[in-house]
């Protein structure tokens, strides 16, 4: 799953760089407002790419993993209503 998220992130960032370069290298020669619009779209992509890259999937069980601190794990288990086998 990590590889898929990483590929999506790099694809989105590649599109971002491509839009920016294309806007100011080619499109500005015909239409500056279109180049500015392309840059505005490119501006929105990096935060979305970061969200995609850091999103946890349903198979990522990070919330159930013990922290390593037995006292903290017991406290959280008590709050969750779970009992860990000793």
């Amino acid at each position: 799953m990590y590889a898929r998220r990483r590929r999506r992130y790099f694809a989105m960032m590649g599109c971002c760089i491509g839009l920016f370069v294309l806007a100011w290298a080619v499109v500005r020669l015909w239409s500056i407002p279109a180049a500015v619009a392309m840059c505005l779209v490119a501006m929105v992509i990096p935060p979305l790419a970061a969200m995609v890259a850091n999103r946890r999937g349903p198979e990522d069980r990070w919330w159930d993993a013990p922290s390593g601190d037995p006292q903290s794990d017991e406290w959280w288990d008590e709050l969750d209503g779970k009992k860990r086998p000793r």
Side-chain angles (χ1 to χ4, degrees), residues 10 29 36 47 71 74 78:
F10 284 121
L29 300 173
V36 170
Q71 186 177 4
E74 285 180 31
E78 182 181 333

Side-chain angles (χ1 to χ4, degrees), residues 15-52:
C15 288
C16 174
I17 292 171
L19 277 172
F20 186 74
V21 169
L22 188 65
W24 294 113
V26 177
V27 176
R28 73 170 171 88
L29 300 173
W30 288 281
S31 174
I32 290 182
V36 170
M38 288 173 69
C39 284
L40 290 176
V41 170
M43 179 182 71
V44 174
I45 293 174
L48 294 175
M51 285 185 252
V52 166

